Amino acid sequence: MRRTRTLAGIGIAAVALLALTACNSGTPGDTMGDGDDPGTSEEGPLWEVAADVSLEGSPTFDAMTERGKVVIGVKSDQPGLGYEDPATGDRTGFDVDTARWIAASLGFADEDIEWKTIPSANREQELINGGVDFYVGTYSMTEARDEVIDFAGPYFITGQGLLVAADDDSINGPDDLAGKVTCSVTGSTPLQRIREEYNGEVTERQTYSECVEQLLSDQVDAITTDEAILAGYVAQDPDNLKLTGEPFSEERYGVGLVNGDTALQDHINTLFTDGGDVWTALYEKYLEPAGVVAEQPAVD
Ligand code: GLU
């Protein structure tokens, strides 16, 4: 069993802070981002759209330049990270804005971005097929994935956790899952770990929001995935949901890239290394209000 303590412990008490800031649309504490222009903070724009960019030796950049737009893979049901408002179609979250920041550094403004929602199970294949130029969506850098695609980063570190009903005191860590039913997502690292290293029944879905529906309707006892993701669901529904236990893995998020595009990989890694202010502004806007505790990691 792995029990690595990560930087990303979650302070559940901080959810109370979200309740305050969530009413305050248009401020940096607004987790859903309603009323904010993407890429802006109270101090103004966080980044400029770069002009006259050239990226020698990047087939991905050549393809997007020829097309005149960039196609980015994201999640759409993970509040605070990758979220699409069903009413307005607005995309918000730490991952989504990180993707906008990368696009801007390559010379592509918001209107030049085509978003594609891709579930966890389809990410590698989508990159291999050229269906997206890059992918930003709670995508853990693992050796197995690294065999078939490349990653820039890490740009964020969290750990696997557990989400249960707010009134459930029977589950306080993964060892308590024996005799319980746990939901996770096909093709994700938390699903694999819970199956291989712990006891209990596991049911899988395509998205974490489907798992949340199952938990709220008492069809499962717990959900497991990264705490940064789970904290977003708790922030939306603190009366019914809570995080339990300590993180029990280290999930290092990277930007998924087509295998071998080292020019684009270097470009994004340099952007992250030089962009501490942007990282902090996005973290304070989207994740800190939900109680996610993290620091900017160094890239590999
Ligand atoms: N970070 C984990 C993974 O990449 C879980 C989150 C997700 O499914 O996107 O598998």
Side-chain angles (χ1 to χ4, degrees), residues 11-32:
I12 297 173
V15 166
L17 176 66
L18 178 79
L20 291 174
T21 54
C23 313
N24 202 357
S25 194
T27 71
D30 174 5
T31 311
M32 298 306 124

Side-chain angles (χ1 to χ4, degrees), residues 4-14 156-161 226-228 231 243 245-249 283 287-288 290-295:
T4 322
R5 202 69 173 90
T6 71
L7 284 173
I10 308 291
I12 297 173
F156 193 78
I157 299 179
T158 179
Q160 182 167 354
D226 309 335
E227 282 199 332
L243 282 163
E246 298 293 320
F248 51 100
S249 76
Y283 166 71
L287 297 174
E288 202 178 39
V292 179
V293 178
E295 285 167 15

